[in-house]
């Protein structure tokens, strides 16, 4: 479509977009710059150009905490949580969108209502449940609250609803059951929505801090946000090391987003999320 805006209007639009991009990117740029700034130069304030860049903060980070073990813990929990949310979310979405059972809309409404309950309210009962089952301080305790997501079910149900019913009817005439329709017709057609849910699920698990802080005591089960919090001392904090850890924590999220970017845009467009 041809842009009919005048040249001054387009220039103003580009300037506003560039200004917004600069505001969004500055914290990330400042984080990277701080992580490569010599410790003695941090007192001079933030700079956009570092005189003598160094990787000492990253070496200190590797010595201060078991970084590789912590990254593997976070990756394992985030990947498992993402896969489980995709499986449970897509199956629940198909049930709410295609199956007929009593009080379906009421059940779906109650399920969506759980989105309004913050994690802070659920932490205590979840911890008591894990303690009664003797599962606290385990990988399962980290994973359990993220096995299913009401937001993922809602988004995937929107995508399943957009799939034409005629495809289901044609498959039923050919003798296909719900399992075959779900795996061979519905799932391939909602891949953009699945990619969107996968990115949100991975980000949510990767950045989770409160629940691991409550349920984990042993260093071998520590995740990345919890490990980075140990870098902050009671009286002093090495900000270059903290920023180095923040840079390391951003890399996997950025990679996942870049890999799924095309599907995320398509998923948002098809499901109507704004």
């Amino acid at each position: 479509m041809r842009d009919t805006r005048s040249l001054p209007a387009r220039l103003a639009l580009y300037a506003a977009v560039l200004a917004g991009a600069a505001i969004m990117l500055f914290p990330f740029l400042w984080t990277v710059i701080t992580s490569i700034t010599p410790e003695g130069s941090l007192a001079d304030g933030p700079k956009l150009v570092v005189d003598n860049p160094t990787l000492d903060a990253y070496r200190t980070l590797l010595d201060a905490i078991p970084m590789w073990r912590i990254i593997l813990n976070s990756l394992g929990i985030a990947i498992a949580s993402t896969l489980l949310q995709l499986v449970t979310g897509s199956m629940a979405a198909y049930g709410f969108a295609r199956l007929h059972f009593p009080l379906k809309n009421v059940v779906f409404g109650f399920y969506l209502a759980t989105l309004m309950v913050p994690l802070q309210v659920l932490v205590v009962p979840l911890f008591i449940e894990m303690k009664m089952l003797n599962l606290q301080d385990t990988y399962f305790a980290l994973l359990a609250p993220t096995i299913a997501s009401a937001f993922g079910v809602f988004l995937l149900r929107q995508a399943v609803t957009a799939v034409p019913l005629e495809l289901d009817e044609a498959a039923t005439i050919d003798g296909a059951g719900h399992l075959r329709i779900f795996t061979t017709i519905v799932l391939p057609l909602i891949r953009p929505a699945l990619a969107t849910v996968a990115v949100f699920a991975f980000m949510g698990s990767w950045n989770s801090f409160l629940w691991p802080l409550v349920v984990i005591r042993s260093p071998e089960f520590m995740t990345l946000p919890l490990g980075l919090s140990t870098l902050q001392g009671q009286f002093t904090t090495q900000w270059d090391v903290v920023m180095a850890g923040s840079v390391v924590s951003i890399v996997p999220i950025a990679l996942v987003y870049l890999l799924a970017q095309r599907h995320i845009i398509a998923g948002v467009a098809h499901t109507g999320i704004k």
Side-chain angles (χ1 to χ4, degrees):
M1 181 183 295
R2 184 180 177 185
D3 191 351
T4 58
R5 284 183 284 256
S6 62
L7 180 60
R10 277 185 287 172
L11 291 177
L13 178 62
Y14 293 148
V17 171
L18 290 174
I23 293 173
M24 296 294 290
L25 289 176
F26 179 76
F28 298 102
L29 180 62
W30 186 79
T31 300
V32 175
I33 290 175
T34 304
S35 71
I36 60 174
T37 301
E39 185 179 1
S41 303
L42 291 175
D44 299 335
K47 297 178 180 177
L48 291 179
V49 179
V50 183
D51 296 332
N52 298 303
T54 176
L55 297 177
D56 288 345
Y58 291 89
R59 300 188 187 95
T60 305
L61 177 67
L62 293 175
D63 295 335
I65 57 177
M67 197 64 188
W68 297 117
R69 177 62 180 267
I70 289 174
I71 289 177
L72 286 176
N73 286 345
S74 290
L75 271 179
I77 296 299
I79 291 173
S81 172
T82 302
L83 293 177
L84 287 170
Q85 285 193 36
L86 288 179
V87 173
T88 59
S90 60
M91 294 176 71
Y94 181 84
F96 283 122
R98 288 293 196 261
L99 302 184
H100 301 283
F101 53 87
L103 302 176
K104 182 176 75 172
N105 292 331
V106 175
V107 174
F108 186 63
F110 275 113
Y111 194 59
L112 288 186
T114 61
L115 286 172
M116 293 184 286
V117 182
L119 177 62
Q120 290 82 356
V121 176
L122 300 175
V123 162
V124 173
L126 280 173
F127 178 77
I128 294 174
E129 184 179 356
M130 291 296 124
K131 189 174 182 180
M132 292 178 65
L133 296 173
N134 198 25
L135 290 173
Q136 75 272 24
D137 207 19
T138 62
Y139 287 122
F140 183 81
L142 288 171
L143 187 61
T146 62
I147 289 176
S149 164
F151 173 74
V153 173
F154 167 73
L155 193 144
L156 293 175
R157 180 184 177 272
Q158 296 293 102
V160 174
T161 304
V163 177
L165 277 172
E166 288 78 7
L167 296 176
D168 294 23
E169 294 168 355
T172 303
I173 293 173
D174 289 340
H178 283 297
L179 180 60
R180 185 177 170 190
I181 294 173
F182 172 67
T183 56
T184 62
I185 296 177
V186 173
L187 283 183
L189 291 176
I190 63 169
R191 277 182 298 182
L194 290 172
T196 305
V197 172
V199 171
F200 283 126
F202 189 90
M203 289 176 59
S205 178
W206 184 265
N207 295 323
S208 177
F209 174 73
L210 179 60
W211 177 243
L213 178 66
V214 170
V215 80
I216 292 300
R217 292 290 179 270
S218 304
E220 60 264 31
F221 297 115
M222 197 176 290
T223 56
L224 192 55
L226 203 56
L228 295 180
S229 69
T230 63
L231 297 175
Q232 292 185 319
Q234 185 175 2
F235 302 104
T236 60
T237 298
Q238 290 181 276
W239 288 111
D240 53 338
V241 180
V242 174
M243 293 304 166
S246 300
V247 172
V248 173
S249 69
I250 291 171
V251 172
I253 293 289
L255 290 177
V256 170
Y257 177 76
L258 290 175
L259 289 174
Q261 182 183 16
R262 182 168 57 89
H263 296 293
I264 291 174
I265 295 173
V268 170
H270 281 87
T271 54
I273 294 178
K274 294 182 178 178

